[in-house]
């Protein structure tokens, strides 16, 4: 369990700024994950997704800028230590009117890499702003925050754990959309199911991260990414069939604490009203911690059928998972 230390570490006993001496600390593997969002217009999001901005290759430029920013953190923030970074990864997702940014920084050393992850998000976001300002000068970079960090004698810290420790209920209207698509991850195939799910969730009042697009072979990493921060709901699309590369159910089962087979069966049944092929879906539904995970097929029709099943039950389901749902039926009230 991570335990916070009293006082500001970068201020000495006389109140003067100082660089912390870490020479006595042991080298351990350190990881930090941070996130933020660029709020913009639907037009900008569409242009970026289609690589149609006047300044081309927007995401690649922002990704390189974020990585560069992480590497230069000690030059930008005066009291940060110089670190030998072993990994910096910057990924992007989309909602109708935001571009989400998430950065992971990793090193082996005597001090953490949270500032490097945060700087990567901030610089990537500012670069996005620079790239899109010709279309939307009012774009805003919001919510730059640390999601989790690991390493050192203090162990693991997560934003979700802090929320639980202070007795505040985790946000039960947060959702992540995850897409299993090798072609989508490579940029050779346009995904329409992820944005459709995101729009459906937003219409129901959820704050949405994603769609996060991962190749079929990397869906386990995608699910780990989606679960970062402990959202109330993760809806995946794709990878539920019986082809050799379909691995979403296996990745999902590995993280579930409890399965909800009735929902998965209802989604299949709804699909078979349109096509008998819906019976081939191996999608799962269940709960991982306090997160509901729902696997939907990769076809637009399969997504539509799945969302129609979820529509009347999703609010009650999420309320039950966090302990607020009532078990009696309408007839019992």
């Amino acid at each position: 369990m991570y335990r916070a230390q009293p006082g500001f570490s970068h201020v000495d006993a006389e109140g003067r700024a100082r660089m912390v001496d870490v020479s006595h600390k042991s080298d351990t593997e350190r990881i930090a994950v941070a996130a933020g969002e660029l709020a913009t217009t639907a037009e900008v999001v569409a242009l970026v997704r289609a690589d149609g901005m006047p300044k081309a290759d927007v995401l690649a430029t922002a990704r390189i800028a974020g990585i560069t920013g992480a590497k230069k953190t000690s030059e930008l923030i005066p009291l940060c230590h110089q670190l030998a970074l072993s990994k910096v990864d910057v990924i992007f997702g989309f909602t109708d009117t935001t571009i989400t940014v998430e950065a992971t920084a990793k090193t082996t050393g005597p001090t953490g890499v949270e500032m490097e992850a945060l700087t990567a998000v901030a610089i990537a976001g500012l670069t996005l702003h620079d790239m899109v300002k010709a279309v939307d000068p009012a774009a805003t970079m919001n919510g730059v925050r640390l999601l989790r960090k690991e390493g050192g004698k203090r162990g693991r810290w997560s934003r979700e754990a802090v929320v639980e420790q202070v007795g505040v209920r985790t946000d039960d209207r947060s959702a992540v959309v995850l897409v299993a698509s090798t072609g989508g991850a490579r940029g050779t195939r346009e995904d329409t199911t992820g944005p459709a799910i995101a729009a459906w969730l937003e219409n129901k009042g959820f704050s949405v991260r994603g769609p996060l697009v991962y190749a079929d072979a990397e869906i386990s990493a995608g699910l780990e990414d989606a679960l970062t921060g402990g959202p109330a709901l993760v809806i995946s699309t794709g990878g539920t069939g019986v082809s050799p590369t379909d691995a979403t159910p296996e990745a999902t089962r590995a993280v579930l604490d409890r399965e909800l087979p009735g929902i998965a069966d209802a989604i299949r049944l709804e699909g078979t009203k349109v096509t008998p092929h819906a019976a081939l879906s191996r999608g799962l539904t269940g709960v991982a911690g306090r997160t509901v995970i729902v696997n939907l097929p990769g076809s637009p029709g399969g997504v539509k059928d799945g969302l129609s099943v979820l529509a009347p039950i999703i609010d009650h389901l999420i309320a039950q998972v966090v302990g607020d749902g009532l078990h009696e039926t309408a007839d019992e009230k």
Side-chain angles (χ1 to χ4, degrees):
M1 177 66 68
Y2 179 92
R3 297 186 182 277
Q5 300 299 305
F8 295 119
S9 61
H10 286 297
V11 178
D12 65 18
E14 297 180 359
R16 295 177 297 194
R18 64 168 185 170
M19 187 174 186
V20 177
D21 183 359
V22 298
S23 59
H24 63 287
K25 294 185 177 181
S26 300
D27 286 352
T28 63
E29 183 178 82
R30 316 272 184 155
I31 302 172
V33 181
E37 301 86 31
L38 184 79
T40 182
T41 65
E43 178 188 10
V44 166
V45 171
L47 286 169
V48 172
R49 290 178 69 95
D51 201 19
M53 293 295 297
K55 297 182 179 180
D57 215 355
V58 174
L59 297 183
T61 303
R63 180 178 291 109
I64 293 170
I67 294 170
T68 302
K71 293 163 67 175
K72 291 184 173 292
T73 299
S74 64
E75 300 176 31
L76 299 170
I77 301 177
L79 302 179
C80 282
H81 297 82
Q82 292 178 315
L83 299 181
L85 293 171
S86 55
K87 174 184 177 181
V88 179
D89 189 21
V90 180
I91 60 175
F92 303 97
F94 299 95
T95 70
D96 286 349
T97 57
T98 65
I99 303 173
T100 62
V101 185
E102 185 173 299
T104 300
K106 183 177 180 181
T107 191
T108 299
T111 190
V113 286
E114 55 267 36
M115 295 311 303
E116 283 70 17
L118 288 163
T119 301
V121 169
I123 297 300
L126 290 173
T127 302
L128 286 174
H129 191 292
D130 180 49
M131 299 289 282
V132 310
K133 66 186 180 185
V135 179
D136 179 22
T140 306
M141 187 62 185
N142 296 319
V144 178
R145 63 204 182 274
L146 184 66
L147 298 180
R148 64 179 174 88
K149 62 178 180 177
E150 302 175 21
K153 68 178 182 180
R154 298 183 185 179
R156 180 186 175 94
W157 177 95
S158 72
R159 180 170 294 275
E160 178 189 10
V162 169
V163 169
E164 292 177 352
Q165 287 169 15
V166 299
V168 179
R169 193 176 72 189
T170 301
D171 178 10
D172 61 2
R173 304 305 290 179
S174 60
V176 179
V177 179
L178 175 64
V179 178
S181 172
T182 300
R186 292 174 177 171
T188 58
R189 178 180 178 182
E190 181 182 3
D191 169 60
T192 60
T193 55
I197 296 171
W200 182 85
L201 288 166
E202 288 176 345
N203 286 337
K204 286 195 162 292
F206 285 87
S207 60
V208 182
R209 184 165 71 95
L212 309 177
V213 183
Y214 279 80
D216 289 318
E218 302 297 328
I219 195 60
S220 291
L223 194 54
E224 180 182 359
D225 179 7
L227 290 170
T228 300
L233 176 64
V234 172
I235 299 182
S236 72
T237 172
T240 63
V242 292
S243 73
T245 58
D246 288 333
T248 300
E250 287 75 15
T252 302
R253 182 172 283 113
V255 301
L256 290 181
D257 299 315
R258 293 180 291 170
E259 289 192 34
L260 299 170
I263 297 176
D265 290 342
I267 292 171
R268 278 185 283 271
L269 180 61
E270 185 69 18
T272 58
K273 296 177 182 178
V274 179
T275 171
H277 294 166
L280 299 176
S281 173
R282 300 182 300 116
L284 302 177
T285 297
V287 180
R290 300 176 73 177
T291 300
V292 175
I293 302 176
V294 181
N295 296 158
L296 297 183
S299 66
V303 166
K304 181 180 179 181
D305 295 335
L307 295 179
S308 70
V309 171
L310 292 177
I313 64 172
I314 193 64
D315 291 340
H316 182 65
L317 172 58
I318 290 174
Q320 281 201 347
V321 170
V322 299
D324 292 340
L326 299 176
H327 288 277
E328 66 266 23
T329 66
D331 291 337
E332 294 171 335
K333 288 182 181 179

